[in-house]
């Protein structure tokens, strides 16, 4: 699918994004839709909006798999002097997130666990997100930080 490099976040952009996501839902197997942007650009807001709207017509067929759980540990960021840069690409385990996306795409016979980011403790928690086993029409969306 050829997509423009960006969508305006207005009514037209909303409809274009919904149409793209619904096209992915028609594909066989799992599909991934990435939402990229700089820290604070609104990726989570857009992803949550999209999830809410897709759940209306496609209940149980979509899931949000955020990258936030792949923040490096706060203690490691402090030790490396990077705590002021949290959210930039070098403060994430990008390879770990890519490995998760590959698992989500290819493995349906076992549960898959992923870390979640908990703002109340300002750190990632291992295994906080669970994707059940089964070859059901699961569709996962993730958002990646801009590089």
């Amino acid at each position: 699918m050829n997509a423009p490099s960006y969508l305006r976040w207005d009514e037209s952009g909303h409809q274009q994004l919904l149409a793209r996501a619904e096209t992915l839902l028609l594909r066989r197997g799992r599909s991934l839709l990435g939402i990229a942007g700089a820290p604070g650009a609104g990726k989570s807001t857009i992803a949550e909006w999209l999830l809410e709207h897709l759940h209306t017509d496609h209940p149980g067929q979509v899931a949000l798999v955020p990258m936030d759980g792949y923040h490096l540990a706060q203690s490691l960021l402090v030790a490396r002097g990077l705590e002021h840069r949290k959210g930039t690409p070098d403060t994430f385990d990008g390879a770990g997130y890519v490995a998760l996306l590959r698992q989500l795409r290819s493995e349906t016979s076992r549960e898959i666990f992923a870390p979640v980011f908990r703002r109340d403790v300002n750190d990632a928690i291992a295994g906080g997100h669970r994707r059940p086993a089964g070859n059901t029409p699961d569709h996962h969306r993730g958002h990646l930080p801009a590089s």
Side-chain angles (χ1 to χ4, degrees):
M1 175 183 325
N2 293 330
S5 59
Y6 68 93
L7 290 174
R8 293 180 59 92
W9 195 238
D10 57 16
E11 188 58 35
S12 173
H14 296 175
Q15 295 311 310
Q16 289 177 55
L17 182 58
L18 270 175
R20 287 184 196 175
E22 294 206 341
T23 298
L24 289 174
L25 285 166
L26 297 175
R27 292 183 180 178
R28 185 177 184 125
R30 291 183 174 164
S31 295
L32 303 171
L33 173 62
I35 299 173
K43 299 176 299 292
S44 294
T45 300
I46 292 169
E48 289 166 8
W49 178 90
L50 183 59
L51 184 68
E52 178 183 327
H53 283 76
L54 289 173
H55 269 297
T56 301
D57 293 328
H58 308 279
Q61 293 185 354
V62 294
L64 177 62
V65 183
M67 188 173 182
D68 291 351
Y70 286 87
H71 280 287
L72 295 179
Q74 185 67 20
S75 59
L76 181 60
L77 295 177
V78 169
R80 292 183 177 183
L82 296 173
E83 68 275 14
H84 66 285
R85 295 173 34 110
K86 191 170 196 166
T88 61
D90 59 332
T91 65
F92 281 93
D93 175 13
Y97 189 62
V98 169
L100 171 67
L101 295 177
R102 287 184 177 138
Q103 278 187 304
L104 289 171
R105 171 141 323 207
S106 64
E107 295 186 30
T108 59
S109 62
R110 66 179 188 84
E111 286 182 311
I112 297 173
F113 294 91
V116 295
F117 185 77
R118 294 228 342 247
R119 298 202 188 286
D120 59 328
V121 295
N122 198 29
D123 231 332
I125 306 298
H129 180 79
R130 179 181 74 89
R131 187 73 228 146
N135 197 11
T136 58
D138 295 319
H139 302 276
H140 301 274
R141 297 180 297 105
H143 55 271
L144 304 170
S147 53

